[in-house]
Amino acid sequence: MSLCPVVELQAVAKRFGDGPPVLEDISLRAHPGEMVSLLGPSGCGKSTLLRLIAGLTPPTAGSLRVEGRPPGDPAASVAFVFQEATLLPWLSVRANVEVPLRLGGAAAADRAATSSRLLELVGLGHRGDAYPRQLSGGQRMRVSLARALSLSPRLLLLDEPFGALDEMTRERLNEELLALQGAGSWTGFFVTHSVAEAVFLSHRILILSAHPGRLHAEVPVPLPHPRTAETRLQPDYLRLVAQVSRQLRAVSPAG
Amino acid sequence: MPRLNRRLLLPVATGLLFLGVWQGVHLYLSDDLRFLLPSPGMVWSAWGEHGDLLRRATANTAQGALLGFSLAVAVSAGLSLLLSLSASIRSSLYPYLMALQMTPLPILAPICVIWVGAGLRSVALLTFVIAFFPLVVNTTQGLIATDRNLVELFQLYRARRWQQLFLLRIPAALPYFFTGLRIAATISPIGAVVAEMNAGSSAGDGGGLGFQAVIFASQAKYAALFATAATTCLLGFALNAAVLALSWTALHAWHDSYERTDR
Ligand SMILES: Nc1ncnc2c1ncn2[C@@H]1O[C@H](COP(=O)(O)OP(=O)(O)OP(=O)(O)O)[C@@H](O)[C@H]1O
Ligand SMILES: [Mg+2]
């Protein structure tokens, strides 16, 4: 892989105010086009890690670089997909997809072209004029994804985007996401509680332990691309899922 | 459409039932006590008898109520924006806004009369005072209760302050604003009427509904008094209906308080 990592964390620590340390001694890198999943028990700081990378909250210690610059730098091209779709309910689906472009001052014609293309891409080309509440949960998530892709980001941070969806929808969206990633070749950080999802999507899985959050293990996923629904039936895939589950159990509170 | 039927028929049915009970109580009272509760029919004829007077009074009251109401909307919008800026601004100003709201109108009325003179100006000012508190409280709450994830989304895309205000905070506050607006629309006519009873009406125009109520009471015209009360209600209903229509226009497409409409 290339010499210049898209994301580089060195000995990063985070605590909120004078609370307990949330993250401690996190060092990691992600390379262009790589998809990295974060697994770990609830409250171990996965969302916090993504927010640090996005520049939404500052680290307490350590150094953090996104494309060689401090996080939150205007030149960085980062998008975030939150756990909930977080759409603006008063805007149409199309206008929601256009929000980042609008904030950046893009011309109306460019916005329309981009939103049409992206809605088509996520399979919602016919729902552009609907309001978010007229969509299903999975459709809303796809709008959120389209919005995140609207500025053609080089780094996409996804915080349990499909956590609230049923298994079938989730698997289909996983496949769509991989296709999008293959086509767009952005770098992705993907937080999830689903081992199967992590194995299916990633080049590499990072397992965090809790209190404080530390890197517990790093598991490469050498499954070939493109991955499809078939991949989920392969012995290699199943073996990896079992292995990662075991490692995740080691850091999860007994009970 | 069964839904429309229910929404129209039910209130009409309760209304008729209410009139029936009212008439019944009236008939049940002995002759010498019937003046205490004029029958619906008597109120109806009082309405006809004093129609001109009541129409003019309604116009006067509506003028004061609308003036005060509009003033409240304008001032509260600005003040809410100011209050939404920081918690310190809120804690320094809220107690005094509440103090204003907690001072009874009859006490404020003479003070208003001294400051701006009796009549329309005082009525509008007093209506403003009582209408603006629910507006400020609700709108401010709406402006500061913006979904944190949405705020972070805007932060992530480096939205400027004005973009965050106009594209995010203000639209997100609209449902709250309309809640405040409905309360204000309900109490504005009441405020105007109470204000008229305490701050007087300008002599030339015959006064508003509050002024008429005082006259009718002093003349022991109880049926006319009931008719005045009903007229005040109608004024409140009209203002409410206008606000509801406005609220529907602004919110029905996207807000959860309205039924989901898939086309
Ligand atoms: N803004 C904040 N202020 C104070 N504490 C916070 C804040 N955000 C997160 N924390 C704390 O940091 C810890 C990690 O939170 P975080 O949301 O990153 O966990 P998570 O791994 O994403 O959990 P989950 O899997 O449940 O989403 C928690 O103990 C939480 O209470
Ligand atoms: Mg989380």
Side-chain angles (χ1 to χ4, degrees):
Chain A
M1 285 261 173
S2 108
L3 299 168
C4 174
V6 179
V7 177
E8 184 166 27
L9 275 71
Q10 261 164 13
V12 166
K14 175 68 183 179
R15 69 197 298 173
F16 290 97
D18 48 9
V22 172
L23 288 170
E24 227 170 60
D25 194 26
I26 305 277
S27 297
L28 61 87
R29 293 165 154 221
H31 297 280
E34 197 179 18
M35 188 73 154
V36 180
S37 281
L38 297 168
L39 280 172
S42 179
C44 73
K46 303 180 293 296
S47 300
T48 306
L49 189 55
L50 289 198
R51 298 180 63 238
L52 281 168
I53 297 172
L56 291 172
T57 184
T60 315
S63 100
L64 230 155
R65 297 262 142 192
V66 176
E67 298 185 316
R69 285 179 289 263
D73 190 276
S77 141
V78 182
F80 207 116
V81 179
F82 295 89
Q83 182 161 4
E84 297 91 32
T86 54
L87 302 176
L88 278 64
W90 53 87
L91 293 184
S92 69
V93 161
R94 170 183 300 284
N96 263 289
V97 173
E98 293 176 8
V99 161
L101 293 157
R102 199 158 151 193
L103 293 176
D110 297 341
R111 297 203 311 248
T114 306
S115 60
S116 297
R117 178 175 59 81
L118 288 171
L119 283 173
E120 211 59 63
L121 197 65
V122 297
L124 288 173
H126 58 300
R127 299 309 307 266
D129 296 324
Y131 283 89
R133 70 166 174 169
Q134 294 171 313
L135 302 184
S136 72
Q139 292 174 323
R140 270 180 236 169
M141 238 23 256
R142 281 190 257 169
V143 177
S144 179
L145 203 58
R147 178 182 63 192
L149 295 172
S150 67
L151 288 180
S152 310
R154 290 185 295 274
L155 174 62
L156 195 56
L157 306 170
L158 303 112
D159 192 356
E160 294 185 52
F162 310 136
L165 304 179
D166 68 272
E167 197 64 28
M168 291 309 292
T169 312
R170 175 195 282 236
E171 288 187 356
R172 211 180 47 252
L173 286 177
N174 279 173
E175 287 149 30
E176 287 174 21
L177 185 66
L178 265 194
L180 286 175
Q181 207 249 343
S185 70
W186 31 266
T187 310
F189 270 91
F190 193 95
V191 169
T192 177
H193 280 285
S194 157
V195 173
E197 188 173 56
V199 172
F200 184 76
L201 289 176
S202 329
H203 295 97
R204 199 147 53 95
I205 297 175
L206 302 176
I207 299 177
L208 278 81
S209 61
H211 312 300
R214 286 169 176 278
L215 276 182
H216 170 75
E218 179 176 335
V219 185
V221 183
L223 298 173
H225 284 77
R227 298 175 189 170
T228 61
E230 283 297 301
T231 308
R232 295 198 182 87
L233 307 171
Q234 309 279 312
D236 282 349
Y237 169 83
L238 296 169
R239 192 154 3 86
L240 272 165
V241 170
Q243 180 201 332
V244 174
S245 298
R246 226 172 8 255
Q247 281 174 293
L248 187 59
R249 242 189 325 274
V251 294
S252 300
Chain B
M1 260 171 99
R3 215 188 85 237
L4 195 65
N5 272 347
R6 217 179 321 132
R7 287 180 59 178
L8 268 175
L9 285 181
L10 284 179
V12 170
T14 43
L16 288 176
L17 186 70
F18 174 73
L19 288 178
V21 171
W22 179 356
Q23 181 75 33
V25 174
H26 172 77
L27 293 175
Y28 173 80
L29 291 172
S30 58
D31 277 349
D32 50 336
L33 284 179
R34 278 202 185 145
F35 75 94
L36 286 176
L37 187 69
S39 73
M42 292 160 76
V43 173
W44 182 254
S45 20
W47 223 342
E49 190 182 331
H50 304 285
D52 279 345
L53 214 54
L54 284 175
R55 248 192 305 283
R56 204 161 353 108
T58 305
N60 287 338
T61 302
Q63 207 183 338
L66 280 177
L67 214 58
F69 176 77
S70 314
L71 198 61
V73 172
V75 172
S76 72
L79 193 61
S80 302
L81 284 177
L82 178 71
L83 288 168
S84 73
L85 289 180
S86 87
S88 343
I89 297 180
R90 284 193 290 284
S91 36
S92 17
L93 292 184
Y94 259 145
Y96 305 101
L97 295 178
M98 285 175 68
L100 192 59
Q101 174 75 9
M102 282 165 185
T103 315
L105 261 196
I107 301 180
L108 280 180
I111 303 176
C112 269
V113 171
I114 300 168
W115 285 351
V116 300
L120 183 63
R121 285 170 167 202
S122 269
V123 171
L125 190 59
L126 290 165
T127 305
F128 159 77
V129 167
I130 74 154
F132 115 117
F133 188 71
L135 276 166
V136 168
V137 171
N138 280 289
T139 310
T140 306
Q141 187 63 28
L143 286 170
I144 63 178
T146 322
D147 183 341
R148 212 189 71 157
N149 281 332
L150 289 178
V151 174
E152 289 201 334
L153 182 83
F154 271 58
Q155 239 172 291
L156 188 73
Y157 292 112
R158 284 174 286 280
R160 294 167 201 287
R161 269 188 92 93
W162 65 266
Q163 287 179 318
Q164 197 183 94
L165 184 66
F166 286 100
L167 296 180
L168 179 59
R169 290 196 187 273
I170 289 179
L174 276 184
Y176 292 80
F177 166 73
F178 278 111
T179 303
L181 203 63
R182 262 198 90 180
I183 303 174
T186 306
I187 61 181
S188 285
I190 302 175
V193 167
V194 176
E196 284 165 352
M197 298 176 110
N198 290 280
S201 303
S202 37
D205 61 3
L209 290 164
F211 183 74
Q212 274 314 320
V214 174
I215 307 271
F216 287 144
S218 71
Q219 297 170 342
K221 290 184 175 164
Y222 297 118
L225 201 53
F226 272 76
T228 312
T231 311
T232 310
C233 287
L234 283 182
L235 186 57
F237 270 123
L239 203 50
N240 249 288
V243 167
L244 281 179
L246 212 59
S247 166
W248 187 89
T249 309
L251 304 180
H252 82 278
W254 62 272
H255 197 249
D256 285 338
S257 57
Y258 293 92
E259 251 170 86
R260 186 170 140 155
T261 50
D262 256 310
R263 40 207 104 161

